[in-house]
Amino acid sequence: MGRFAHLAYTDSVRRVQEEQGSGLLGVRALAQPDTGPDELGPDEAAFLTSRDGFYLASTGETGWPYIQFRGGPAGFVHVLDERRLAWAEVRGNRQYITTGNLRTDGRVALFFMDYARQARLKLLGRARTQGLDEDAALTERLGKPRTDGKVERLMIVEVEGFNWNCHQHITPRYSEEELETALRPVRARMDALEQENARLRARLAELGEAD
């Protein structure tokens, strides 16, 4: 858990852990030294770039948190290196709440879910926006693939910490693409059985005519 625990396990959180009998969990997590931001490894990179959506939380001047969903084709979230991930921001409802919140507080939380495999990854970081003309190469890279719509800016997140969450209570859900992949061998088997049945019926008809 590394840096994540040192960021998330505040004094108030630790008191609740002690009250609820899970104090040892916090002790073990905080025993790992805070050596700086966690680095994304191959497992994290593969998971992030395979997702077709995630939840993004920011905080405004009033102190109220705000959550938005970001979606697109698998791969629209790009892992730039061990510390950074990014994506192209496209025009939505034009409220710009998240973008505005980042003007005063760049701290964000990202929640990535894989409902089909009951896996989730929580990530804390610092986000910033970047104009499309500031780095032409990066703008081109984040556009392949990206969410449909007019690209207005780039969003870059510097990772501070992350944590793989347990699978408990995740209700399995499947996208249309996941269902198609899972059902493909079943449909192929059904087609084969239907063809075999047709051959058997034809053979039985031949035998009946012979009698």
Side-chain angles (χ1 to χ4, degrees):
M1 188 177 297
R3 184 71 174 276
F4 185 92
H6 287 274
L7 295 175
Y9 291 1
T10 62
D11 291 340
S12 296
V13 172
R14 290 288 295 118
R15 284 194 290 271
V16 175
Q17 290 175 347
E18 292 290 345
E19 292 168 5
Q20 299 299 316
S22 62
L24 187 58
L25 180 150
V27 170
R28 289 173 176 170
L30 294 173
Q32 302 179 44
D34 183 357
T35 57
D38 293 335
E39 293 189 351
L40 300 171
D43 291 341
E44 288 76 34
F47 188 80
L48 295 172
T49 55
S50 68
R51 298 298 85 222
D52 60 3
F54 65 93
Y55 300 93
L56 171 65
S58 60
T59 305
E61 293 102 317
T62 59
W64 287 99
Y66 179 73
I67 298 176
Q68 277 193 323
F69 179 78
R70 289 290 189 269
F76 85 100
V77 174
H78 298 253
V79 175
L80 305 181
D81 51 43
E82 294 85 356
R83 286 287 321 284
R84 298 180 302 156
L85 55 92
W87 62 90
E89 286 270 286
V90 302
R91 179 172 294 175
N93 57 21
R94 308 197 75 182
Q95 292 182 354
Y96 301 112
I97 298 176
T98 298
T99 304
N101 286 348
L102 298 183
R103 296 281 179 91
T104 57
D105 191 339
R107 290 175 297 178
V108 293
L110 292 82
F111 206 97
F112 292 83
M113 295 287 298
D114 184 340
Y115 290 100
R117 298 168 184 79
Q118 296 179 287
R120 55 189 165 190
L121 179 61
K122 299 181 294 187
L123 188 149
L124 299 175
R126 299 180 185 275
R128 62 181 176 86
T129 59
Q130 181 170 298
L132 303 180
D133 57 352
E134 292 184 46
D135 187 334
L138 181 59
T139 297
E140 181 180 4
R141 175 179 177 179
L142 298 187
K144 303 175 182 178
R146 67 170 177 84
T147 307
D148 291 337
K150 177 180 174 56
V151 178
E152 294 188 325
R153 70 194 66 80
L154 308 180
M155 185 77 77
I156 303 170
V157 177
E158 300 273 350
V159 177
E160 288 287 343
F162 63 82
N163 180 41
W164 288 95
N165 218 186
C166 71
H167 66 274
Q168 189 176 18
H169 305 310
I170 298 178
T171 302
R173 295 187 176 92
Y174 303 88
S175 67
E176 185 177 348
E177 182 179 353
E178 288 167 337
L179 284 173
E180 178 61 32
T181 300
L183 292 175
R184 191 173 296 132
V186 177
R187 288 172 176 162
R189 178 58 177 161
M190 290 178 64
D191 289 342
L193 290 173
E194 287 178 358
Q195 293 173 15
E196 183 178 354
N197 285 338
R199 289 194 297 270
L200 291 173
R201 287 195 295 270
R203 180 57 178 160
L204 287 173
E206 292 175 359
L207 291 175
E209 292 177 358
D211 293 341

